[in-house]
Amino acid sequence: MKDTLTIEEREDLELELLLEAIYSVSGFDFRKYMRSSIKRRVENRMRLDHIRRISGMIEMVLYEKGYVEKLLKDFSINVTEMFRDPEFFKAFRLNIVPLLKKLPEIRIWHAGCSTGEEAFSMAIILKEEGLYDKARIYATDMNDEVLRHAEKGILPLNRMQSYTKNYLQAGGNQEFSEYYTTDYQNAYLDSNLLNNIVFFQHNLVTDGSFNEFHIIMCRNVMIYFTGELQTYVNQLFYDSLCKGGFLAVGSKETLRTSSFSVDYEDFDSKERIYRKL
């Protein structure tokens, strides 16, 4: 029989088999992630480890201890900063905080929290608005290593100048330096800001709802998912929000073209904030 597979088709097949192997070995499911994003990370790992073909990675996943953990770190998206997209946090402070003040308690879920900067930013806003004591922030990520880092509340000292700028643009009304101490290398958040933040591992692809929330933040995470997976995760978020609760997605994401658009009010179209009807 004539072999009709092109090189590109062979590579695509190898990539599918690699993702199957990772899922079988680790339980982490990347089979519904955007292939372009996954392929870039696989190719980078191949260069670093001097591997010619993806099939060589499959063998290492199956037989080399610790190799699948290395790939999981490569696949985990850990791009974050304090008050990232300051205009979003300013809109949150001006338009959503007044509504939160009417609640007896506040439950917030930061999904895909990475090293925690977004959750820390939320804690500062709630502190300044007198809401932190009645709030509980749940910050989750699939990557256990970044969560262990987040729990310590340690930030890189060389980023604090840009973080301060973000904070002020987001409507901060204190001296940002009041929220941390420093040494020659790191900045350490005030431990009081960590009291009401719970960090734990949660995989949006495989894990279910674990509470009912007033706010769900999942910004610039679902852009790495296929349409099918986005639908699944949107259903998870919908089921996890209380009536009148808010879902905030990233600047490159929207619910307008999804089947969930009729279930939400377009609360702030510019900042991609939706309210469950």
Side-chain angles (χ1 to χ4, degrees), residues 39-93:
K39 194 169 185 178
R40 284 195 300 271
R41 286 161 177 78
V42 167
E43 289 173 345
N44 183 60
R45 176 50 55 190
M46 289 171 67
R47 284 191 296 269
L48 292 173
D49 292 348
H50 307 290
I51 299 172
R52 290 184 59 205
R53 294 189 178 93
I54 297 175
S55 55
M57 300 182 75
I58 297 172
E59 182 176 354
M60 297 177 79
V61 165
L62 295 176
Y63 297 107
E64 183 174 314
K65 185 177 180 180
Y67 196 77
V68 71
E69 285 77 15
K70 184 186 290 188
L71 287 181
L72 293 178
K73 291 178 184 178
D74 290 341
F75 290 178
S76 180
I77 312 299
N78 299 310
V79 179
T80 187
E81 61 183 36
M82 294 289 291
F83 296 95
R84 181 172 60 162
D85 302 324
E87 288 300 317
F88 167 84
F89 283 98
K90 187 173 183 178
F92 184 94
R93 187 192 290 264

Side-chain angles (χ1 to χ4, degrees), residues 93-238:
R93 187 192 290 264
L94 292 176
N95 301 321
I96 295 181
V97 162
L99 302 176
L100 297 181
K101 290 183 177 181
K102 302 174 184 179
L103 301 175
E105 61 176 346
I106 304 166
R107 295 181 299 277
I108 301 174
W109 179 13
H110 288 269
C113 71
S114 186
T115 46
E117 281 82 344
E118 190 176 75
F120 302 149
S121 303
M122 179 63 70
I124 288 172
I125 288 178
L126 296 178
K127 190 83 170 177
E128 292 182 353
E129 297 293 335
L131 298 174
Y132 190 62
D133 288 342
K134 66 174 182 178
R136 178 72 66 172
I137 298 172
Y138 299 84
T140 68
D141 200 277
M142 59 164 284
N143 187 328
D144 188 53
E145 183 175 327
V146 299
L147 290 172
R148 290 197 299 270
H149 177 85
E151 288 176 330
K152 299 174 183 177
I154 300 176
L155 302 171
L157 187 58
N158 61 6
R159 300 294 304 277
M160 300 315 291
Q161 185 174 355
S162 64
Y163 288 177
T164 300
K165 182 180 178 181
N166 286 353
Y167 165 76
L168 293 173
Q169 291 178 344
N173 53 39
Q174 304 291 328
E175 290 291 333
F176 188 56
S177 58
E178 293 180 3
Y179 295 114
Y180 63 88
T181 57
T182 66
D183 58 20
Y184 64 93
Q185 186 175 9
N186 295 309
Y188 303 88
L189 281 179
D190 183 340
S191 60
N192 291 326
L193 288 173
L194 303 176
N195 288 342
N196 291 356
I197 305 178
V198 180
F199 291 100
F200 64 94
Q201 192 175 44
H202 182 278
N203 190 332
L204 291 173
V205 182
T206 55
D207 297 334
S209 179
F210 58 92
N211 209 326
E212 187 177 62
F213 298 96
H214 302 99
I215 309 287
I216 296 179
M217 307 268 285
C218 187
R219 302 170 64 227
N220 302 310
V221 174
M222 288 190 285
I223 56 174
Y224 300 103
F225 297 167
T226 64
E228 180 184 356
L229 183 53
Q230 287 182 24
T231 298
Y232 173 83
V233 174
N234 276 323
Q235 185 66 59
L236 170 65
F237 290 156
Y238 185 81

